[in-house]
Amino acid sequence: MTTIPAGSPAELARRFAPLGKYLERELDMKVEWVPTVDYEAVVDGLVHRKIDLALLGGFTFVLANARTGGKIVPLVQREGDASYRSIFITQPNSGIRRLEQLRGRSFLFGPVSSTSGHLMPRATLLAAKIDPERDMRQVNYSGGHDATAAAVVSGKVDAGVLHLYAWEKLVEEKKIDAATVRVFFTTQPFYDTNWSVHAALPAETRDAIRVAFLKLDAARPEDRQILDLQRATKFIPTRVENYQRIKAAAENADLLK
């Protein structure tokens, strides 16, 4: 099992170790944590069956599914993953208060393959008749949501975008003073992260994995630890149809390759 690298390797290993041990018990099989270097490595691992179970973003799920001809099966997602939002941030004195005011400015997306850090924000900008490469002075990509926020705080870029949960975590952990950054736009909600497997995995194993996630109950202390580390209240079933909007956005932006 692995996940898109939304954090340092050490932090991800710490967060997912209890979940891995739980799945070992529930599935009665060895579960190995496999670190990955970037989003593309996760997609490649699942597509070529080097990875059995992966936590994917909505966009990486769509990419993997497209590259396998529809053979990636989404099993579950956190309850909050059904209503993800991206936020656009800037410094309070930047003069940016609307998307239209990003014209002629420097802007930072998250990772290229990030749903909330790139794809859906790009779709939002295009819907507002703003072509990032044509209309902005400079467009770059960061290695993660934390890096995007840090670049805006430091003034390296005029504005950036990251997902709402990452922002809330940064503020909660006091890694960012909310007074130094202003949220000036929030996207419409969309489905995002899910746990997926390749369809070649036996159906009984897929079902057992799904049931194991759905059994996690915050009322039980041992389960609460796992859920807290996943920043989840509970897991719910998901399906391919939930990601049609993301697929359409990727096709419209010519990113589904």
Side-chain angles (χ1 to χ4, degrees):
M1 62 183 287
T2 194
T3 175
I4 51 175
S8 70
E11 170 65 9
L12 291 174
R14 182 189 72 83
R15 283 178 53 203
F16 288 94
L19 176 60
K21 291 178 181 178
Y22 167 76
L23 290 174
E24 279 193 338
R25 295 193 304 271
E26 291 294 315
L27 303 177
D28 193 25
M29 64 175 65
K30 181 175 175 55
V31 175
E32 179 184 359
W33 171 253
V34 181
T36 51
V37 295
D38 55 30
Y39 284 60
E40 182 59 32
V42 179
V43 173
D44 182 74
L46 196 57
V47 167
H48 296 289
R49 298 179 60 193
K50 300 171 186 174
I51 296 294
D52 296 307
L53 174 65
L55 180 64
L56 302 176
F59 184 25
T60 42
F61 165 74
V62 167
L63 283 172
N65 214 25
R67 293 178 189 176
T68 57
K71 293 181 180 178
I72 304 302
V73 182
L75 300 179
V76 296
Q77 61 187 174
R78 296 170 300 184
E79 188 174 31
D81 291 326
S83 57
Y84 246 61
R85 293 176 185 266
S86 297
I87 60 168
F88 289 71
I89 61 174
T90 188
Q91 289 194 347
N93 60 356
S94 70
I96 299 172
R97 301 189 180 282
R98 303 188 307 275
L99 291 179
E100 292 76 13
Q101 293 173 320
L102 289 171
R103 290 188 173 92
R105 301 298 194 106
S106 60
F107 188 80
L108 189 62
F109 286 111
V112 173
S113 297
S114 170
T115 311
S116 55
H118 177 218
L119 176 61
M120 298 312 282
R122 178 176 286 273
T124 298
L125 290 167
L126 292 174
K129 309 299 182 186
I130 300 170
D131 183 316
E133 284 71 25
R134 184 189 65 202
D135 298 329
M136 294 180 185
R137 176 170 57 82
Q138 183 181 33
V139 176
N140 283 310
Y141 300 86
S142 76
H145 300 290
D146 292 16
T148 299
V152 175
V153 170
S154 68
K156 291 182 179 178
V157 293
D158 295 320
V161 65
L162 67 160
H163 72 70
L164 178 61
Y165 296 140
W167 168 257
E168 291 176 340
K169 181 182 178 184
L170 288 169
V171 173
E172 175 187 319
E173 295 178 351
K174 301 187 185 305
K175 292 181 179 178
I176 280 187
D177 180 355
T180 65
V181 183
R182 181 167 49 79
V183 176
F184 67 95
F185 188 85
T186 302
T187 67
Q188 292 295 311
F190 52 87
Y191 285 91
D192 200 356
T193 317
N194 70 63
W195 283 97
S196 287
V197 297
H198 195 288
L201 197 68
E204 58 269 27
T205 303
R206 300 200 305 261
D207 291 342
I209 294 171
R210 182 186 293 107
V211 168
F213 274 100
L214 298 179
K215 278 174 58 178
L216 287 166
D217 185 349
R220 293 194 292 264
E222 63 272 23
D223 289 0
R224 180 62 180 268
Q225 179 198 16
I226 295 170
L227 290 167
D228 284 350
L229 286 170
Q230 303 305 306
R231 298 187 69 82
T233 53
K234 67 177 181 178
F235 284 92
I236 60 175
T238 192
R239 55 183 185 157
V240 174
E241 289 76 12
N242 290 342
Y243 300 91
Q244 290 305 308
R245 182 179 164 204
I246 291 175
K247 180 182 178 183
E251 290 172 338
N252 184 55
D254 197 27
L255 294 174
L256 199 54
K257 299 174 182 179

